[in-house]
Amino acid sequence: MELNSIPYIASWSSSSSCFYYSYSRCACRGTRDGKLVTKASAAGRKRAADSVCSQLSEQGTEDSISGPRSSWRIRRRDLASAILLPFLIPRVNISIAAEIYDASIIRSGVRSVLTKGKAAGVLRLVFHDAGTFEIGDGSGGMNGSIIYEVDRPENIGLNRSIKILRKAKEGIDNVQKVSWADLIAVAGAEAVALCGGPEIPVRLGRVDSSSADPSGKLPEETLDAASLKTLFSKKGFSAQELVVLSGAHTIGGKGFGSPVVFDNTYFKVLLDNRPPQTSSTGNGMAAMVGLRTDWALTEDDECLRWIRIYAEDQARFFDDFRDTYIKLVDSGASWRTA
């Protein structure tokens, strides 16, 4: 799609004694997502201005031959056209286009370093960065502070995922600066999609924290269902949202089906294997499937109802996971103002 003849500036030329508009050319190209990325250029302004002035000058000569009455009518018509032209041409929202362009760059950078085997670790990074949020004092949230928190016991192993995304960030920053918070949020969505889960749109513009968030904000693996519901409610999430986010454990080798396939197997396993089951490890020893908190959900009637719904309806799980993920990565975020 090309938009031509967008008015640039109206001015008076004393040398040719004519009123003219100088035009810039704006080319729009579609991304693979079908969205537009707008790139404005001022090339050709003077050439277009000279051309318009020449035409109006010639027209003025013809006007003088036809008589003052005709000349006055034509000048009035030209003036009216000059005034109305900006209102007749559609406007292009450059800020929206720039945001879409940013998302495309980030997604491409993430995809260059992400594999299905690394997806679970990247998705865990999202949960541990955003999961520190609390409504009460507004602390924590999706702010990139996880890069300062990798030494905490609950974040063991996340330094590998940060190292992966750091490589992507270096390449992206060469084209367009990206915050850690935006990068992690987009990377988690890409991890889900790469493993067969829903496509998740991610808003951009998060501002990074310059320090670590308070510790002790993430759920401990020993919590029962009541404690989990209380903890998540302090973060603004319902029992349903607790259950649907827990469904992310379907990837990552926790025993819920294929470690690289995002589906609703997690909920089916919880229903079919109560009480907690064990699986055989490579050395012949038994290992618990999932975490204690996964099985704790089956002991709560409200949570169990949602487990049954998602076990029977994968499309419903995908829709609800997408919506709750968006809510998660927006939690506690600070946004660029302009």
Side-chain angles (χ1 to χ4, degrees):
M1 170 183 176
E2 289 192 357
L3 303 178
N4 295 320
S5 301
I6 296 179
Y8 173 68
I9 185 171
S11 62
W12 177 262
S13 172
S14 57
S15 59
S16 57
S17 298
C18 70
F19 185 88
Y20 69 86
Y21 269 81
S22 176
Y23 297 84
S24 64
R25 303 180 67 85
C26 179
C28 294
R29 59 181 178 84
T31 67
R32 57 182 171 73
D33 297 320
K35 297 179 179 178
L36 292 179
V37 179
T38 304
K39 181 180 180 181
S41 171
R45 295 176 193 159
K46 187 176 185 299
R47 185 185 306 169
D50 292 342
S51 176
V52 174
C53 280
S54 175
Q55 293 173 15
L56 291 180
S57 179
E58 292 172 4
Q59 188 180 66
T61 302
E62 295 175 1
D63 292 345
S64 64
I65 296 174
S66 59
R69 186 180 183 87
S70 175
S71 176
W72 174 81
R73 286 175 181 166
I74 293 174
R75 285 198 299 272
R76 185 176 64 175
R77 182 193 62 195
D78 292 339
L79 180 59
S81 298
I83 294 173
L84 291 175
L85 187 58
F87 300 97
L88 299 176
I89 297 177
R91 296 182 180 181
V92 177
N93 192 326
I94 300 298
S95 62
I96 292 177
E99 183 171 333
I100 295 171
Y101 185 65
D102 289 346
S104 176
I105 293 173
I106 299 171
R107 285 195 300 268
S108 297
V110 169
R111 290 170 183 171
S112 69
V113 299
L114 186 62
T115 64
K116 289 184 178 181
K118 299 172 183 176
V122 169
L123 187 55
R124 179 173 171 241
L125 194 62
V126 176
F127 280 67
H128 284 232
D129 190 31
T132 57
F133 176 66
E134 286 199 2
I135 293 177
D137 57 8
S139 63
M142 197 74 205
N143 56 19
S145 66
I146 189 68
I147 64 174
Y148 306 112
E149 302 158 7
V150 291
D151 293 333
R152 294 177 180 175
E154 64 268 28
N155 294 330
I156 291 177
L158 287 181
N159 59 324
R160 292 192 294 270
S161 297
I162 291 176
K163 183 178 179 180
I164 293 168
L165 294 188
R166 192 184 300 277
K167 182 178 180 181
K169 191 176 189 303
E170 290 172 355
I172 296 168
D173 282 344
N174 287 333
V175 181
Q176 175 68 52
K177 296 296 182 181
V178 60
S179 65
W180 273 106
D182 274 351
L183 178 62
I184 294 170
V186 171
E190 288 298 315
V192 170
L194 180 63
C195 293
E199 297 282 344
I200 306 175
V202 176
R203 176 187 173 189
L204 299 179
R206 295 169 188 78
V207 178
D208 282 340
S209 172
S210 59
S211 61
D213 285 340
S215 60
K217 301 294 184 178
L218 298 177
E220 297 177 3
E221 296 182 8
T222 57
L223 295 181
D224 59 18
S227 299
L228 285 170
K229 289 166 69 175
T230 299
L231 180 69
F232 271 72
S233 68
K234 292 180 179 179
K235 303 178 185 299
F237 292 91
S238 65
Q240 174 200 359
E241 292 167 329
L242 161 62
V243 173
V244 77
L245 288 176
S246 298
H249 288 169
T250 192
I251 61 173
K254 295 181 174 64
F256 297 107
S258 170
V260 293
V261 176
F262 193 99
D263 56 17
N264 66 338
T265 301
Y266 170 84
F267 304 105
K268 294 178 178 179
V269 171
L270 289 181
L271 285 181
D272 296 341
N273 296 282
R274 292 182 294 161
Q277 300 295 303
T278 59
S279 61
S280 177
T281 62
N283 57 13
M285 299 180 64
M288 182 177 178
V289 174
L291 305 174
R292 293 188 183 277
T293 49
D294 293 318
W295 297 100
L297 299 177
T298 65
E299 300 169 0
D300 179 86
D301 290 341
E302 185 179 13
C303 292
L304 184 58
R305 181 171 73 86
W306 285 108
I307 290 173
R308 290 195 175 105
I309 290 173
Y310 295 138
E312 296 174 0
D313 191 344
Q314 179 168 283
R316 174 70 183 275
F317 166 51
F318 278 16
D319 287 344
D320 289 352
F321 185 87
R322 180 189 63 242
D323 294 343
T324 309
Y325 181 92
I326 292 172
K327 178 178 177 179
L328 176 69
V329 296
D330 288 352
S331 296
S334 297
W335 304 92
R336 294 197 304 261
T337 56

